[in-house]
Amino acid sequence: MKRRTFTRLAALALAAGVAGTPAMAQEVLKVGAVAPKTGPLAGGAAVSYWPNVKLWISDVNARGGLKVGGKTYKLEAIEYDDQTNPGETIKAVQRLVDQDKAKIVLPPYSTGLNLAAAPIYARYGLPMITSTATTDKADALSAQFPNVFITLGGAKPVVQGVVDTMVKLRDRGDIGKKLAMVNVADAFGIELMNEAKPAFKKAGFDLVYETSYPLGTQDLSPVMKAAKAAAPDAFIAWSYPPDTFALTEQAIVEDLKVGAFFTAVATAFPAYAGRFGKSVEGVLGIGGVNADGEAFKAYAKRHEEVTGAKPDYWASAMVYSSFQVLEKSIEAVGSFDNAAIIKHIKATSFDTVIGPLKFDGHNNNPSFWTVGQWQGGVFKGVASTGRDGAVDVKKKAAWK
């Protein structure tokens, strides 16, 4: 486990005073963050997670700090690299609470690391507003751990969004019914694959090729060669960032001719379009945003100004929104009473950069984007469970 302070945005601020009198230091509040900086998921966390930690702390401090009761605190990030290792995630949370005395500990990155860390967050009673976990276990999780909240949705609605999108393309005559589908063999990919297979069968699709591959697989050319040999009309991958890039590259190399090409996490990254240029036009991926909405555009502008990088078009805004929920609940409660903060989160509708956010009785956010598509150089939402701003899906053109 490696500790690194990501930024000292909370360098002691001097309180205003009369000239000649000693200045008083504003109190600093430690905010713990644990996510991959190394390992297979480091690339995804570097896009969606860590920049939003920096942005949120910058925004809070720019407003004067976090207002808790009669005090205002400047925030300071204490960061740990969990190396994409669940054991390291758990150890980092323990160290943040027991040794670093962090009052706030942000949730980790990815489905698997969040599920693995849920018991330790519950043991400490920490609010755990996950922003990068996709799972249908929300009901069971909230029953076992009432402090855990799911914002990014579950496997069933995500899969249904993809199925509905493929059905629309098929019914328009843009694709046939032959489907190739692959998945990364971790909690995220396995759950989505297990949900998708019967859902596509029920919708009348024929699965002509399927396989899984280990997290961190370097060479995915055999997967794409076999998929192409099956002559599918559409290709779907429940993938993480390294494999999303690798599968797309191999699809271009093999000139995979399909009317619909879907990859999951990282498809919405600006770097994806930067890597593949005009070939991304029409590529489908998990998530999306209301790219033309004023709230997202304002958020994206601040993100680039503060971090020097563009946000992705899916999880980035959700990560920031989850921090907004935590911030507003702490200020509303007026203390660091975690039980009271969790109660407030359960009962409140929040105005965030993704729009209104209100959790249901199982601590699940019912309104989220499920499918997006690259159109005109922007990844736009095409399907959701209740978000405004969707655009119509298009057939995938030939690779450029």
Side-chain angles (χ1 to χ4, degrees):
M1 178 173 59
K2 301 175 183 177
R3 172 180 172 176
R4 188 190 311 167
T5 302
F6 189 76
T7 178
R8 291 286 174 176
L9 290 171
L12 294 176
L14 297 179
V18 179
T21 61
M24 296 183 64
Q26 186 172 1
E27 196 162 351
V28 172
L29 183 71
K30 296 177 181 178
V31 176
V34 51
K37 290 177 182 286
T38 56
L41 297 183
V47 174
S48 303
Y49 186 87
W50 290 117
N52 282 290
V53 174
K54 181 177 182 179
L55 176 61
W56 176 62
I57 288 178
S58 174
D59 284 351
V60 172
N61 288 344
R63 291 193 290 269
L66 187 68
K67 298 175 176 59
V68 186
K71 293 184 177 180
T72 302
Y73 298 86
K74 287 287 185 178
L75 303 185
E76 176 182 305
I78 300 177
E79 301 182 0
Y80 285 101
D81 172 16
D82 63 19
Q83 304 164 44
T84 319
N85 183 326
E88 293 299 320
T89 308
I90 292 167
K91 287 194 291 185
V93 174
Q94 290 174 313
R95 182 167 183 174
L96 283 165
V97 176
D98 294 335
Q99 297 183 34
D100 299 319
K101 304 302 180 184
K103 291 288 189 181
I104 298 172
V105 180
L106 304 174
Y109 175 83
S110 84
T111 300
L113 297 178
N114 271 283
L115 294 178
I120 194 68
Y121 278 80
R123 183 188 305 172
Y124 287 118
L126 296 167
M128 189 180 187
I129 312 168
T130 70
S131 53
T132 56
T134 300
T135 177
D136 283 329
K137 298 175 182 177
D139 292 6
L141 274 173
S142 64
Q144 186 176 6
F145 308 121
N147 62 307
V148 176
F149 299 82
I150 303 292
T151 61
L152 211 55
K156 279 187 173 63
V158 167
V159 165
Q160 193 58 53
V162 179
V163 170
D164 291 345
T165 300
M166 295 298 169
V167 167
K168 182 180 291 187
L169 289 167
R170 184 192 63 194
D171 291 352
R172 285 197 327 220
D174 291 333
I175 63 173
K177 64 177 183 178
K178 293 187 295 181
L179 182 68
M181 189 159 59
V182 305
N183 70 283
V184 60
D186 87 325
F188 169 83
I190 292 170
E191 186 172 357
L192 283 161
M193 184 68 152
N194 289 342
E195 186 63 38
K197 287 171 64 177
F200 275 106
K201 182 178 180 180
K202 183 178 179 181
F205 287 89
D206 295 331
L207 190 58
V208 296
Y209 175 73
E210 66 170 292
T211 193
S212 64
Y213 51 86
L215 181 66
T217 299
Q218 298 296 311
D219 183 11
L220 288 169
S221 57
V223 171
M224 192 55 65
K225 287 179 183 292
K228 181 182 179 180
D233 301 305
F235 176 87
I236 293 173
W238 306 110
S239 54
Y240 266 143
D243 23 309
T244 291
F245 278 82
L247 288 167
T248 304
E249 183 172 348
Q250 289 304 314
I252 296 171
V253 169
E254 295 293 332
D255 192 24
L256 179 69
K257 292 181 171 62
V258 289
F261 184 86
F262 174 99
T263 45
V265 183
T267 313
F269 288 4
Y272 185 85
R275 171 78 171 273
F276 300 113
K278 292 182 179 179
S279 282
V280 305
E281 186 68 15
V283 169
L284 295 159
I286 195 169
V289 293
N290 180 1
D292 299 320
E294 292 304 318
F296 178 79
K297 289 194 291 187
Y299 155 76
K301 184 174 183 291
R302 290 200 320 280
H303 189 288
E304 190 166 7
E305 289 172 350
V306 173
T307 72
K310 297 179 184 293
D312 71 56
Y313 291 98
W314 180 40
S316 284
M318 189 62 83
V319 171
Y320 188 88
S321 293
S322 71
F323 299 161
Q324 287 183 297
V325 169
L326 187 58
E327 171 194 347
K328 292 177 180 182
S329 292
I330 291 171
E331 290 193 333
V333 169
S335 74
F336 297 106
D337 180 344
N338 283 326
I341 293 166
I342 292 166
K343 184 177 180 180
H344 184 269
I345 294 170
K346 289 175 180 285
T348 307
S349 178
F350 299 89
D351 183 21
T352 73
V353 297
I354 63 160
L357 181 54
K358 175 77 168 71
F359 295 99
D360 64 18
H362 297 287
N363 294 359
N364 197 29
N365 165 32
S367 301
F368 51 90
W369 291 98
T370 55
V371 185
Q373 185 176 46
W374 283 99
Q375 297 184 7
V378 178
F379 190 79
K380 300 182 178 182
V382 300
S384 78
T385 61
R387 290 289 168 192
D388 295 329
V391 300
D392 195 26
V393 66
K394 298 180 180 180
K395 180 182 178 179
K396 173 74 177 78
W399 302 104
K400 303 294 184 182

